[in-house]
Amino acid sequence: AVYEDEHLLVVSKPSGLLTVPGRSASLQDCAVSRLRARYPDATGPLVVHRLDMDTSGLMVVALGAEAHRNLSRQFHERETQKKYIALLDGVWCQESGVIDLPFRLDVDNRPIQIYDEIHGKMGITHWQKLAIEGQFTRIEFTPITGRTHQLRLHAYHEKGLGIPIVGDPFYGRGTGPGQMKLHACELAFTHPMT
């Protein structure tokens, strides 16, 4: 745990680990099962928000039902703030900007998300270039909305940055779990009890 008190934890999830169990028996190892084993007295569902399996970084976990309700409301009402650092698989020259793209699940190719001006829901991300590192670009993403694969789609799509995140197995050249260079580095919220 990065932070721990009687009401909540902030943990750093590694890339390649699911947040919650998958459907098959081989996908039962996840952040929640590890936390349940370590905190057997915790009540409630623990998980307040999720990170994609391939995304690493900070997650807040509620240890009780009241804390879970409060934190879940904060995420739902967009009262939290999150920042991510990504390494893009190419050189991006602009300094900063905002991406707002409507997208939705590709029902024939789950869990892939696709750009859709008609049926998509808007995803909004602020971004700032931090550095060019050889053939890669380090970017800071600040998502305003919190949609599935939002930062991944905003990075790779031609109407976004047009460059996938290094190691992304869905939208880039990644070949397996644990390779993607997207890290949730900052998480701000109001303590649910104090």
Side-chain angles (χ1 to χ4, degrees):
V2 176
Y3 172 84
E4 180 175 353
D5 65 26
E6 62 184 312
H7 304 290
L8 61 88
L9 308 167
V10 177
V11 298
S12 184
K13 185 189 83 63
S15 178
L17 181 68
L18 289 166
T19 299
V20 297
R23 293 182 180 171
S24 71
S26 64
L27 298 175
Q28 296 307 296
D29 181 31
C30 63
V32 167
S33 61
R34 292 181 184 188
L35 288 165
R36 285 236 179 264
R38 188 164 175 194
Y39 299 91
D41 296 333
T43 59
L46 294 176
V47 172
V48 175
H49 64 115
R50 299 181 186 192
L51 292 177
D52 291 344
M53 178 174 81
D54 295 305
T55 304
S56 63
L58 300 177
M59 288 178 45
V60 62
V61 177
L63 295 176
E66 190 174 349
H68 186 272
R69 255 191 317 278
N70 183 294
L71 289 165
S72 294
R73 181 196 57 75
Q74 289 183 52
F75 275 87
H76 180 72
E77 296 181 9
R78 298 183 189 160
E79 294 174 358
T80 59
Q81 296 172 343
K82 297 172 274 187
K83 285 192 180 176
Y84 295 75
I85 300 293
L87 197 61
L88 301 184
D89 199 0
V91 175
W92 181 252
C93 294
Q94 296 178 31
E95 295 300 316
S96 63
V98 178
I99 302 165
D100 51 350
L101 291 180
F103 60 98
R104 64 167 174 83
L105 176 67
D106 181 350
V107 293
D108 298 320
N109 194 14
R110 295 169 186 267
I112 302 296
Q113 305 289 315
I114 56 173
Y115 174 77
D116 186 334
E117 285 186 353
I118 307 300
H119 303 292
K121 291 184 181 176
M122 190 62 70
I124 303 168
T125 304
H126 293 254
W127 62 270
Q128 179 175 341
K129 181 176 77 177
L130 300 177
I132 292 177
E133 301 172 12
Q135 66 203 39
F136 306 112
T137 306
R138 190 168 300 273
I139 295 276
E140 179 184 85
F141 285 123
T142 305
I144 305 305
T145 54
R147 313 245 354 271
T148 300
H149 291 190
Q150 176 174 318
L151 302 180
R152 298 164 78 161
L153 181 114
H154 282 180
Y156 107 91
H157 198 277
E158 62 186 14
K159 290 184 178 283
L161 300 181
I163 306 172
I165 296 170
V166 170
D168 188 332
F170 292 135
Y171 308 98
R173 296 187 294 170
T175 57
Q179 299 176 352
M180 190 169 72
K181 303 303 180 199
L182 177 62
H183 182 73
C185 61
E186 290 184 27
L187 178 59
F189 56 90
T190 302
H191 194 286
M193 314 306 275
T194 65

